[in-house]
């Protein structure tokens, strides 16, 4: 079925290019402009799918006519696509962890050994560890700030032990007490921030199972996430120094 288009505007006079149109049914915007066909230019574009085309328009056209009353629908991705982001990001991946427990951890053999007071026996050659080391070797950075309650929950103590493994494969892990996180106004949500441009918001059910991942690219929310990251990392304590101040016992 053909789209029904509404003319939005053009600042190019009467030559008809470049111009913006709107699909009256979906609100999607169509852009008319000079086609980009130079192979060297196309090669610089990211994630190009078959059938996609590209046009050039003046920045002022978007400033003057691009719709600003955007109703954003959540963009949900599956876990396979989420996993691929840990290979495809370019510079930094930052995690803010604020939950008191993760059901996925509690189902593991390492968690069973930890709560039984046994040596956890982290395997530094499993696929996850190898992947982290490979990405770090490419110059990429993995950073985490974990929020911990006082007293810590069993799940939080498990992750404090887990921090040794993550650090061994190149992650920078720091900790904040929850009172300090609340004082800083950090959000009580779990997120990954990739390359300071896209947020992966992790969704959990009431039983603390991860149920979905929402991608957020709204510039205002991304800018706020960058501020949260900077404040959290600045005030957080590197995990080895933090461990020294955590009372022993579960």
């Amino acid at each position: 079925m053909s789209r029904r288009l509404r003319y939005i505007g053009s600042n190019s006079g009467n030559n008809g290019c470049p111009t913006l149109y709107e699909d009256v049914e979906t609100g999607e915007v169509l852009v008319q402009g000079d086609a980009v066909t130079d192979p060297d230019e196309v090669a610089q574009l990211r994630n190009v799918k078959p059938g996609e085309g590209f046009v050039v328009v003046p920045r002022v056209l978007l400033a003057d006519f691009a719709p600003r009353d955007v109703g954003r629908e959540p963009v949900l991705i599956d876990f396979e696509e989420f996993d691929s982001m840990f290979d495809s990001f370019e510079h930094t991946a930052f995690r803010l962890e604020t939950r008191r427990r993760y059901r996925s951890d509690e189902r593991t053999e390492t968690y069973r050994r930890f709560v039984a007071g046994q040596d956890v026996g982290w395997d530094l050659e499993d696929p996850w560890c190898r992947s982290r080391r490979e990405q770090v070797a490419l110059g990429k950075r993995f950073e985490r700030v974990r929020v911990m309650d006082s007293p810590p929950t069993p799940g939080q103590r498990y992750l404090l032990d887990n921090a040794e493994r993550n650090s061994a494969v190149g992650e920078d892990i720091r900790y904040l007490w929850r009172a300090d996180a609340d004082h800083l106004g950090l959000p009580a949500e779990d997120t990954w921030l990739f390359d300071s441009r896209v947020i992966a918001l992790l969704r959990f059910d009431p039983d603390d199972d991860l149920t979905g991942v929402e991608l957020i690219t709204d510039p205002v929310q991304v800018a706020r996430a960058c501020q949260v990251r900077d404040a959290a990392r600045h005030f957080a304590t590197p995990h080895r120094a933090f461990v020294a101040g955590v009372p022993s016992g579960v």
Side-chain angles (χ1 to χ4, degrees), residues 54-179:
F54 311 92
V55 298
V56 177
V57 298
R59 183 181 294 270
V60 68
L61 174 69
L62 302 179
D64 288 347
F65 295 106
R68 292 169 177 79
D69 54 339
V70 178
R72 296 184 184 273
E73 292 291 331
V75 177
L76 303 178
I77 61 173
D78 59 31
F79 294 131
E80 182 177 353
E81 183 175 353
F82 176 52
D83 286 342
S84 73
M85 296 178 72
F86 293 93
D87 295 326
S88 62
F89 81 97
E90 296 183 347
H91 309 295
T92 58
F94 170 74
R95 172 77 183 272
L96 177 66
E97 295 183 29
T98 67
R99 300 185 66 82
R100 293 174 170 86
R101 68 190 287 253
Y102 297 88
R103 285 281 289 162
S104 58
D105 288 343
E106 296 172 3
R107 297 187 179 100
T108 63
E109 176 62 18
T110 52
Y111 187 89
R112 185 197 66 77
R113 290 199 294 264
F114 176 78
V115 297
Q118 303 170 357
D119 178 66
V120 174
W122 299 109
D123 179 6
L124 297 181
E125 297 302 323
D126 68 15
W128 185 93
C129 290
R130 291 199 302 271
S131 175
R132 280 293 193 272
R133 285 198 299 268
E134 290 169 359
Q135 296 303 311
V136 170
L138 294 173
K140 301 179 184 182
R141 298 201 314 271
F142 292 90
E143 304 166 346
R144 296 180 193 249
V145 170
R146 288 173 169 165
V147 175
M148 182 170 282
D149 290 282
S150 182
T153 68
Q156 290 170 343
R157 288 188 179 276
Y158 169 76
L159 288 178
L160 193 62
D161 189 275
N162 157 273
E164 280 294 329
R165 177 198 68 158
N166 288 27
S167 296
V169 297
E171 289 197 352
D172 179 340
I173 304 183
R174 306 183 186 190
Y175 276 84
L176 272 174
W177 293 110
R178 190 170 300 276

Side-chain angles (χ1 to χ4, degrees), residues 15-19 31-37 41 53-58 61:
N15 62 10
C17 182
T19 306
V31 182
Q32 176 186 346
D34 293 326
V36 177
T37 58
E41 295 179 359
F54 311 92
V55 298
V56 177
V57 298
L61 174 69

Side-chain angles (χ1 to χ4, degrees), residues 72 197-199 215-224:
R72 296 184 184 273
R197 66 179 182 83
V198 59
I199 302 165
L215 288 190
I216 300 172
T217 57
D218 172 33
V220 173
Q221 295 188 64
V222 170
R224 172 57 179 157

